[in-house]
Amino acid sequence: MRAATFVLLIFFSITASATIYKCPTASGKVEYSSKPCADGETVNIRPSATIMSQETMRDQPGGGQIHVGMTPSQVRSIWGAPRAVNATTDKSGLSEQWVYDRNGRTHYVYIRDDKVSSMSSHEEIGSGSRSTEPPSTAPAYKPTPTRREIEEQEREDKSGNRRFISQGMTQTRVRSDIGEPENKSYRTGIECWNYLPAHNDRQAHTSICFDGHGKVLTVDRTIER
């Protein structure tokens, strides 16, 4: 017999009121018997009570249900290991889709922040399938933008502010107002930031030079025709 924590999952089909005896073994484990034993305890079982094994529970229609908020270990303890695990990562973190085949349906369990966030299932009908539950609320996978892509987007969004850059502004202020430059150039004691024409500043090539203290010295806007 197995330990008490597992013995409780043994299947009993009891059609009349019965008493089961909880008996400790020499190895320190516990066995359940219909016969009295030394140092044993009685466990009263109600009529028609059924205690199912884990595998039996998985096969019962409507049994062993998964709910939002469960942990991955709870899902595994009820439905076992998934047939497949699909993982995606976005700015919100890691999301996993666990795939199960149960009772003629394909079930999808979505895990986020170490908990079940949503579920859906599809029933196979001929060559097609029909959704039997609401679609998943798990976000679609979106690749994380690179630093270069973020800087390009910021330059585009702020390109209309280039005409307002003036002498005396700091590098921090310029970067905040119009974003990082496409490139930089240097000459003795002077650093220049260069911006190519963009969505809201289509014709001007802007060059902003800073003095040795990091403040705007000159702003050169060349119109390209």
Side-chain angles (χ1 to χ4, degrees):
M1 297 291 287
R2 299 185 181 180
T5 54
F6 188 79
V7 173
L8 283 173
L9 296 176
I10 295 176
F11 178 82
F12 289 99
S13 179
I14 302 175
T15 58
S17 179
T19 299
I20 300 298
Y21 297 91
K22 180 179 178 182
C23 305
T25 66
S27 62
K29 297 181 180 180
V30 174
E31 294 181 354
Y32 290 85
S33 173
S34 60
K35 298 179 180 180
C37 56
D39 300 323
E41 299 178 12
T42 58
V43 179
N44 292 318
I45 307 298
R46 292 181 299 174
S48 301
T50 300
I51 304 176
M52 294 179 289
S53 69
Q54 197 174 70
E55 285 70 23
T56 302
M57 186 189 335
R58 293 176 192 160
D59 295 336
Q60 297 302 305
Q65 293 298 316
I66 302 301
H67 303 285
V68 171
M70 282 186 172
T71 64
S73 60
Q74 289 174 323
V75 175
R76 286 181 180 272
S77 71
I78 297 174
W79 280 5
R83 171 171 61 80
V85 175
N86 303 311
T88 58
T89 303
D90 55 25
K91 63 182 180 181
S92 300
L94 176 67
S95 175
E96 292 184 346
Q97 179 197 65
W98 290 14
V99 183
Y100 289 91
D101 294 323
R102 292 171 48 80
N103 301 323
R105 292 187 176 90
T106 299
H107 297 260
Y108 303 94
V109 180
Y110 296 90
I111 309 291
R112 179 176 286 277
D113 297 329
D114 208 33
K115 291 184 179 180
V116 175
S117 61
S118 61
M119 298 165 291
S120 67
S121 68
H122 288 78
E123 182 178 3
E124 297 298 327
I125 303 176
S127 59
S129 64
R130 180 181 66 189
S131 176
T132 57
E133 295 189 26
S136 165
T137 58
Y141 171 73
K142 294 181 181 179
T144 302
T146 64
R147 178 176 177 177
R148 180 177 179 180
E149 291 171 337
I150 293 173
E151 290 178 353
E152 288 177 351
Q153 186 60 54
E154 184 180 26
R155 279 194 298 271
E156 286 287 336
D157 294 342
K158 297 182 177 180
S159 57
N161 296 331
R162 296 176 184 177
R163 68 194 70 184
F164 302 115
I165 301 301
S166 59
Q167 288 184 332
M169 284 185 175
T170 64
Q171 289 182 341
T172 300
R173 171 69 184 278
V174 172
R175 184 181 288 108
S176 174
D177 284 359
I178 63 176
E180 292 285 346
E182 265 91 0
N183 58 73
K184 299 178 182 179
S185 58
Y186 302 88
R187 57 180 184 268
T188 307
I190 297 177
E191 177 181 338
C192 295
W193 293 4
N194 303 304
Y195 296 83
L196 300 177
H199 178 69
N200 294 315
D201 193 30
R202 295 182 182 278
Q203 294 183 307
H205 181 288
T206 304
S207 179
I208 304 168
C209 295
F210 301 88
D211 61 22
H213 300 288
K215 293 187 176 181
V216 174
L217 184 65
T218 61
V219 180
D220 181 15
R221 287 175 54 78
T222 302
I223 304 300
E224 298 184 354
R225 300 183 183 278

